[in-house]
Each structure stands twice: as structure tokens, then as C-alpha cells.
């Protein structure tokens, strides 16, 4: 069974901003999925950026070596980053993951993949004394990927098998020898990864209102939570909700995300909720 990284992407007519790193062969499919997107592509090869077959795809090209040079983009620019080889060939994987995280919007997603060192074929070679990868390519086990992504401040991590054996017997044989085999890890040659910069709940809250509005909302809620000029803060909160169109369900979810003493805040704002 083989699943391609592109199968994790969801088609959308939105005007998204997307970055793809070293993936020129994916650009036609990417443009079909996101016809209205602003797509940026990074490659170290000038001839790729100048190739005439790619001109109709309306790609913003950046010729640079992503492993050695700082990515030429501002922070929080992209909705999606597709960097298939960011883990496999990165000289400093943590630094690369942090750099990509900073360039994702608060609701952004990173798509990447990695070769699994626990694949039974790799284990066979290791048992025979032959390390299967030399040079720049890296192998990983899933706990190492989770640690790297957690350290690089990604909030939700989802794994999908990329290249998996149709016949699971070889992996199961290693499992019988005592190796953990959660989700048929021993039969999976590569794993695909979708990593979110924010949790789903927080991302939904961030989609609807500006960062400035959310900051002011959080400030007023914390003042109410800790009894700092509560009546004045409630009046300011009510005015903010009216001005920005903040609705009861959103306010309730926001309280649950940013406040520690949620029951206290809900009780303090019972009258406000009744009048919204």
C-alpha cells in the first residue's frame, strides 16, 4: 500500500498562501487543488524555476538552498507548507522545523514525511551489521519525530502510513521477537506527517477574529477572572462584543481556552450572555 503526501491535502477554492520546498513535480497537482492560491516554491536550481512548462502555473519562485540559507519569507505568511524532505535531508532538523513553524500562520499546517528506521527491512540490515543510510539522509523512529515537532512548537501531530507492506508478515515476525508494532510500524517504510501550529480548537477561534481583537478579549476576560475593576471590565467586554460581532458560542469557547477559573468567569458573565 502506498499513500502519497498529496493525498493529505484537501482541495479548496480559498485564496490560501502555500509554500512548497523542493517539490516542483507536485506543482501542477497543487495548482489544480488550489486554483486561487498564492503558491511559492523554493528550489536550489535556477533551471527548474525557469522551466517553460511550469510558467502557466503562476508560481512565485525562490532560488535558494533551504538547508544552508535563511528562508526569504516573513513570519506567519503561509497557510500550508509542503516540505517532503525537510526531515529526511535537513542538516539541523530542529532548526528547520522551527523556521517553518515561524513562517506558518497561527492556523497553518506543515506537511512532511520521513523514512522509518523501525521498518523491518531496515532492522534486517542493522542486525546484519549494515547501516542502510550513509551521507546526508536521515532515518527516524516515531518517538523522535514527536519530540522534534513538540520541541519546535507544533501543537497537533497526525501520522499516516506512506509506503506500507501489503503483506504484514515480516513486520509481525519482528513483533513476535518482542518489538513494539503499534499501527504496523514495523511494516511501514515511510510515514507521512501533518503537523498543526495550533490545536484544532484554538485554530477555530483564531480564524474568526483578528489577533488584536483576541488580545483585547483575553485581557478583559483575565481582568474579570481575577476581579480587576470587574464592572468596568464587563462594560468594556460588552462593548467589544457588540463592536466586533462576537457571539455567545464563540465567547464561551474562548473563555474555556484562555481562562483558568472558567466557572467563575461564566458566572460573572451570566447577565452578559443573557443579553447577547
Amino acid at each position: 500500500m502506498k499513500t502519497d503526501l498529496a493525498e493529505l491535502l484537501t482541495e479548496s477554492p480559498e485564496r490560501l498562501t502555500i509554500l512548497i520546498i523542493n517539490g516542483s513535480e507536485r506543482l501542477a497537482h497543487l495548482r489544480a487543488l488550489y486554483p486561487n492560491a498564492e503558491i511559492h516554491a523554493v528550489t536550489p536550481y535556477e533551471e527548474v524555476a525557469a522551466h517553460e512548462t511550469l510558467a502557466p502555473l503562476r508560481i512565485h519562485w525562490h532560488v535558494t538552498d533551504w538547508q544552508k540559507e535563511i528562508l526569504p519569507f516573513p513570519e506567519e505568511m503561509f497557510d500550508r507548507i509542503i516540505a517532503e524532505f525537510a526531515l529526511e535531508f535537513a542538516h539541523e532538523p530542529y532548526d528547520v522545523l522551527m523556521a517553518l513553524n515561524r513562517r506558518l500562520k497561527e492556523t497553518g499546517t506543515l506537511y512532511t514525511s520521513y523514512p522509518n528506521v523501525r521498518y523491518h527491512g531496515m532492522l534486517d540490515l542493522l542486525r546484519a551489521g549494515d547501516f542502510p543510510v550513509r551521507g546526508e539522509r536521515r532515518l527516524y523512529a516515531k518517538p523522535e519525530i514527536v519530540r522534534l515537532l513538540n520541541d519546535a512548537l507544533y501543537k497537533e501531530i497526525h501520522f499516516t502510513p506512506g509506503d506500507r507492506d501489503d503483506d504484514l508478515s515480516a513486520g509481525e515476525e519482528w513483533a513476535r521477537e518482542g518489538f513494539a508494532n503499534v499501527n504496523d510500524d514495523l511494516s511501514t517504510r515511510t510515514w507521512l506527517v501533518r503537523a498543526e501550529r495550533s490545536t484544532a480548537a484554538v485554530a477555530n477561534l483564531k480564524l474568526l477574529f483578528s489577533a488584536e481583537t483576541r488580545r483585547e478579549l483575553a485581557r478583559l476576560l483575565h481582568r474579570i477572572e481575577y476581579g480587576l475593576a470587574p464592572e468596568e471590565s464587563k462594560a468594556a467586554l460588552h462593548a467589544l462584543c457588540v463592536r466586533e460581532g462576537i457571539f455567545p458560542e464563540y465567547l464561551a469557547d474562548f473563555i474555556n481556552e484562555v481562562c483558568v477559573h472558567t466557572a467563575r468567569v461564566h458566572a460573572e458573565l451570566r447577565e452578559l450572555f443573557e443579553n447577547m
Side-chain angles (χ1 to χ4, degrees), residues 65-68 86-87 89-94 96 136 138:
D65 187 339
W66 62 273
Q67 298 186 69
K68 299 177 181 178
L87 291 165
F89 292 103
H91 299 320
E92 299 290 344
Y94 168 77
V96 168
E136 296 184 348
R138 293 171 179 265

Side-chain angles (χ1 to χ4, degrees), residues 8-106:
L8 303 187
L9 303 173
T10 304
E11 183 177 7
S12 174
E14 298 174 271
R15 298 184 65 84
L16 301 174
T17 307
I18 299 172
L19 172 63
I20 183 165
I21 297 177
N22 284 18
S24 58
E25 72 283 355
R26 297 186 177 278
L27 289 172
H29 181 63
L30 197 62
R31 175 55 72 196
L33 287 176
Y34 304 106
N36 301 315
E38 177 184 316
I39 300 177
H40 294 255
V42 167
T43 178
Y45 307 111
E46 292 187 6
E47 58 270 28
V48 171
H51 202 287
E52 60 182 14
T53 60
L54 299 176
L57 300 179
R58 298 176 282 116
I59 305 299
H60 300 269
W61 285 100
H62 307 269
V63 179
T64 184
D65 187 339
W66 62 273
Q67 298 186 69
K68 299 177 181 178
E69 301 173 31
I70 296 174
L71 290 171
F73 308 108
E75 294 188 1
E76 299 191 2
M77 178 174 177
F78 297 105
D79 298 284
R80 310 277 189 274
I81 295 179
I82 302 153
E84 185 170 7
F85 304 108
L87 291 165
E88 187 172 351
F89 292 103
H91 299 320
E92 299 290 344
Y94 168 77
D95 292 341
V96 168
L97 289 172
M98 278 299 302
L100 296 177
N101 183 290
R102 292 191 186 104
R103 285 156 179 82
L104 281 171
K105 294 178 181 178
E106 291 181 307

Side-chain angles (χ1 to χ4, degrees), residues 185-235:
D185 190 34
L186 297 171
S187 297
T188 304
R189 187 189 299 271
T190 59
W191 284 99
L192 312 180
V193 182
R194 174 168 59 89
E196 313 285 354
R197 185 175 170 186
S198 300
T199 65
V202 171
N204 288 334
L205 292 176
K206 291 176 177 177
L207 282 170
L208 294 178
F209 297 98
S210 69
E212 293 76 14
T213 297
R214 298 196 311 272
R215 275 195 295 270
E216 179 63 8
L217 183 56
R219 186 186 72 84
L220 292 172
L221 288 172
H222 286 145
R223 288 178 64 83
I224 294 166
E225 181 177 10
Y226 294 104
L228 301 175
E231 296 308 316
E232 177 185 331
S233 298
K234 290 178 192 177

Side-chain angles (χ1 to χ4, degrees), residues 74-266:
E75 294 188 1
E76 299 191 2
M77 178 174 177
F78 297 105
D79 298 284
R80 310 277 189 274
I81 295 179
I82 302 153
E84 185 170 7
F85 304 108
L87 291 165
E88 187 172 351
F89 292 103
H91 299 320
E92 299 290 344
Y94 168 77
D95 292 341
V96 168
L97 289 172
M98 278 299 302
L100 296 177
N101 183 290
R102 292 191 186 104
R103 285 156 179 82
L104 281 171
K105 294 178 181 178
E106 291 181 307
T107 55
T109 306
L110 169 68
Y111 297 88
T112 187
S113 63
Y114 68 93
N116 181 20
V117 73
R118 299 188 75 253
Y119 176 61
H120 69 81
M122 298 290 185
L123 296 177
D124 287 335
L125 291 171
L126 289 170
R127 184 163 57 182
D130 181 14
F131 189 70
V133 175
R134 298 174 179 86
E136 296 184 348
R137 186 169 180 247
R138 293 171 179 265
L139 301 174
Y140 297 90
K142 191 179 291 186
E144 185 179 7
I145 295 297
V146 172
R147 177 183 57 79
L148 276 170
L149 289 167
N150 282 337
D151 289 349
L153 305 180
Y154 292 86
K155 302 303 183 186
E156 288 191 0
I157 308 165
H158 307 270
F159 293 90
T160 300
D163 189 356
R164 173 174 289 177
D165 295 346
D166 292 325
D167 180 359
L168 304 179
S169 59
E172 290 169 350
E173 179 62 31
W174 278 88
R176 282 191 288 272
E177 294 183 21
F179 284 71
N181 194 27
V182 178
N183 295 324
D184 295 316
D185 190 34
L186 297 171
S187 297
T188 304
R189 187 189 299 271
T190 59
W191 284 99
L192 312 180
V193 182
R194 174 168 59 89
E196 313 285 354
R197 185 175 170 186
S198 300
T199 65
V202 171
N204 288 334
L205 292 176
K206 291 176 177 177
L207 282 170
L208 294 178
F209 297 98
S210 69
E212 293 76 14
T213 297
R214 298 196 311 272
R215 275 195 295 270
E216 179 63 8
L217 183 56
R219 186 186 72 84
L220 292 172
L221 288 172
H222 286 145
R223 288 178 64 83
I224 294 166
E225 181 177 10
Y226 294 104
L228 301 175
E231 296 308 316
E232 177 185 331
S233 298
K234 290 178 192 177
L237 176 62
H238 182 263
L240 178 67
C241 291
V242 171
R243 184 172 69 251
E244 299 296 335
I246 298 172
F247 49 94
E249 293 81 6
Y250 181 92
L251 181 58
D253 288 343
F254 200 92
I255 291 169
N256 293 337
E257 286 293 333
V258 305
C259 295
V260 176
H261 309 94
T262 55
R264 178 192 304 169
V265 178
H266 281 286

